[in-house]
Amino acid sequence: MSDISEDEFQPLEPTLKNVLDQNSLNWIFVGGKGGVGKTTTSCSLAVQLSKVRKSVLLISTDPAHNLSDAFGQKFSKEATLVNGFENLYAMEIDPTSSIQEMIEQSDQGNAMGGMVQDLAYAIPGVDEAMGFAEVMKQVKTMSYSVVVFDTAPTGHTLRFLSFPTVLEKALAKISSLSGRFGPMFQQVSGMMGLNANQEDMFSKLEEMRSVITEVNNQFKDPNKTTFVCVCISEFLSLYETERMIQELTSYHIDTHNIVVNQLLFPKQDSNCEHCNVRHKMQQKYLDQIYDLYEDFHIIRMPLLTKENPTAGDKFKEISHAYEILSDAEKRQLYDQFGEEGLNGQGGMGGGMDAEDLFSQLFGGGLFGGGGGRPNRPSGPRRGKDMLHQLKVSLEDLYLGKTSKLALQKHVLCVKCEGRGGKEGAVQTCRSCNGQGVRIVMRQMGPMIQQIQQPCNDCRGEGEIVNERDRCKHCVGKKIINERKILEVHIDKGMRSGQKVTFQGEGDQAPNVIPGDIVIAIDEKPHARFKRQGDDLMYEARIDLLTALAGGQFAIPHLDDRVLLVTVLPGEAIKPDAVKVIPNEGMPTYRHHHHGHMFVKFSVEFPQPNWTDADTIAQLSTILPPRPALPNFGNKQVDEVVMAETDGYQAHKSSASYEEDDEDEQRGGQGVQCAQQ
């Protein structure tokens, strides 16, 4: 393990490809200050996700509702298919109307309805909660693999994201009132002539509470939720972004992508003084963004000089062309039959037999065999992520450190370039058409049974290569083991369980996109300190004199400093008392503000008979007077003296052993009498 300077830290890839590749994500929030391009970013991200996900839902919680303008199509609170797409849906939610609709449907059309309405609007974040309830209703009725939120400006967004925690606490408090004030609530409502069913109301609130708890758990899971921050390279936007990231961290919501919009890139021969000055200003704040968020994906987007009304159609044409060129089978059909061939209309004149037709429809032969044309390639699959635990000391989490971690991984053979043999020597097995298995038909009486078994010709590999042409370096396995050394940057304030991801560093295999190597931080137990969030807990042992008359004691800190702590005379530290040393705790992750150090005291008393009787007598003149004994009345009072427990406990144990021996002897005599 070795340290490296901050300048040697490699920045992450400046794209949102990590979001597209993380198939486990269900919730993607896009947010930032007003007017920085959140809607453009969320729409672009949703379009790209529609290419790699089965179904995508784009939701606007911004009262401005710019989705309709972005796609040139009117959207409402019902999920609507976006024109030109088969799996991209969009909807715009009005939280205020959602609350009003809930009130109207609660059959409380009297004064009770007004009370429920006042209660609903009084709970912090309840308008966003109702908006999300509308989202949950849509998601339950339709199946989406990922939901993208085009959120409101920063303040509304933070309230939206905080409502699961706030509302869960509020509903818990309201639920507790149902048992304490439920009967009184019912009596008062009856006296006022209100037809109030308080059990129904509280049951609905309890049902809402369970839903909010589930939402809260999903929001805090980095495998299911992430937040994409959008900003521009100006002071106020950077300030809002920093504030938002701090709040997201306190909510335990994952965020590791920042999109910087509206950047100027003036030409070298430009004489525009305003453009050059603004470019320098943007570069200044862009450098600050890189310094603050070195472990983020930072995406720079230029400011376009004009909008192109036909850009959407051009974008679709480019996407369609890319889809054709990136698929070998589609490209071959296009070269041979043109656009009609891609639509299934070309090439039919040459004759397609029933075997080829069933192969196209069902991905196999007429009877499940390997006949007919090969299946349409679905593109390379993504390999599994590799998770490794890295034990880190509390000192390293306090100071920050860059550690080297050696791992074993599979890489493509460099000699044969992952082919397994010489170029052209590896052939697809004709017996199984590269599937590695064959379907064998067996007749058992009047029945015909299909059995799938490994292909004998290729030994289940789907490819055939002569032994003399097989790669000697990898022995035809196409992959070899390689020792990989990763430099893991441990930032100050990181916590146990946090993960550092190395994208694309997983095991390699032919026709497989490598997965990620994920390093999980495992905090080692510390001999002196216990960590609680950003605070440190320390147990200090002081003598009785220091506790009563004051003094000093030392605390060795995590950065080789020593904190010399003073106990003021007369402060009278009691056993188990807790004091705090401000700003001496752990640094806050990414921001490096410090928490606090809490000191819990244990007071060591002197040994028995530690001084003479005259000195002890002087204590009565120094310490506060003893409390007077109570009046016992006519009760008999016996004066006793205490002793150490050691000798008495041993005597009790030996007495019990003697009693057991006597019981055994009596039992033995009883047996003898019975036998006689």
Side-chain angles (χ1 to χ4, degrees), residues 54-116:
K54 184 177 179 181
S55 58
V56 180
L57 176 62
L58 176 60
I59 297 175
S60 172
T61 59
D62 190 346
H65 292 328
N66 295 321
L67 293 186
S68 298
D69 298 332
F71 289 105
Q73 178 183 352
K74 181 61 179 175
F75 298 111
S76 64
K77 67 176 183 179
E78 301 293 334
T80 306
L81 184 66
V82 179
N83 293 337
F85 295 87
E86 297 179 353
N87 61 340
L88 176 59
Y89 299 82
M91 62 187 298
E92 296 176 337
I93 294 177
D94 186 0
T96 303
S97 64
S98 299
I99 297 178
Q100 191 63 34
E101 186 175 314
M102 182 196 72
I103 300 299
E104 293 174 355
Q105 293 177 355
S106 64
D107 69 3
Q108 305 275 355
N110 45 31
M112 182 55 61
M115 181 182 295
V116 174

Side-chain angles (χ1 to χ4, degrees), residues 111-112 115 182-197:
M112 182 55 61
M115 181 182 295
M184 182 179 66
F185 179 84
Q186 193 74 21
Q187 290 179 4
V188 173
S189 61
M191 293 171 59
M192 297 176 62
L194 302 178
N195 184 18
N197 188 347

Side-chain angles (χ1 to χ4, degrees), residues 3 11 211 221 232 244 266 269 276 314 374 403 503 524 532 542 652:
D3 294 337
V211 175
D221 188 349
I232 56 178
M244 182 165 58
D269 56 350
N276 292 328
K314 193 68 176 177
S403 303
Q503 292 188 338
K524 297 179 182 178
Q532 293 184 357
I542 59 174
K652 182 178 180 181

Side-chain angles (χ1 to χ4, degrees), residues 465-483:
V465 58
N466 294 329
E467 289 295 334
R468 61 180 182 178
D469 296 329
R470 193 181 296 271
C471 176
K472 303 297 188 296
H473 189 61
C474 64
V475 199
K477 295 181 179 179
K478 305 179 183 180
I479 56 175
I480 58 175
N481 287 331
E482 180 183 77
R483 189 171 183 265

Side-chain angles (χ1 to χ4, degrees), residues 9-42:
F9 181 72
Q10 296 295 326
L12 297 177
E13 184 180 13
T15 69
L16 291 177
K17 189 174 182 298
N18 64 95
V19 178
L20 303 179
D21 292 340
Q22 190 173 348
N23 296 326
S24 63
L25 285 176
N26 297 126
W27 312 97
I28 301 174
F29 293 91
V30 180
K33 191 176 180 294
V36 297
K38 299 185 299 295
T39 300
T40 303
T41 303
S42 60

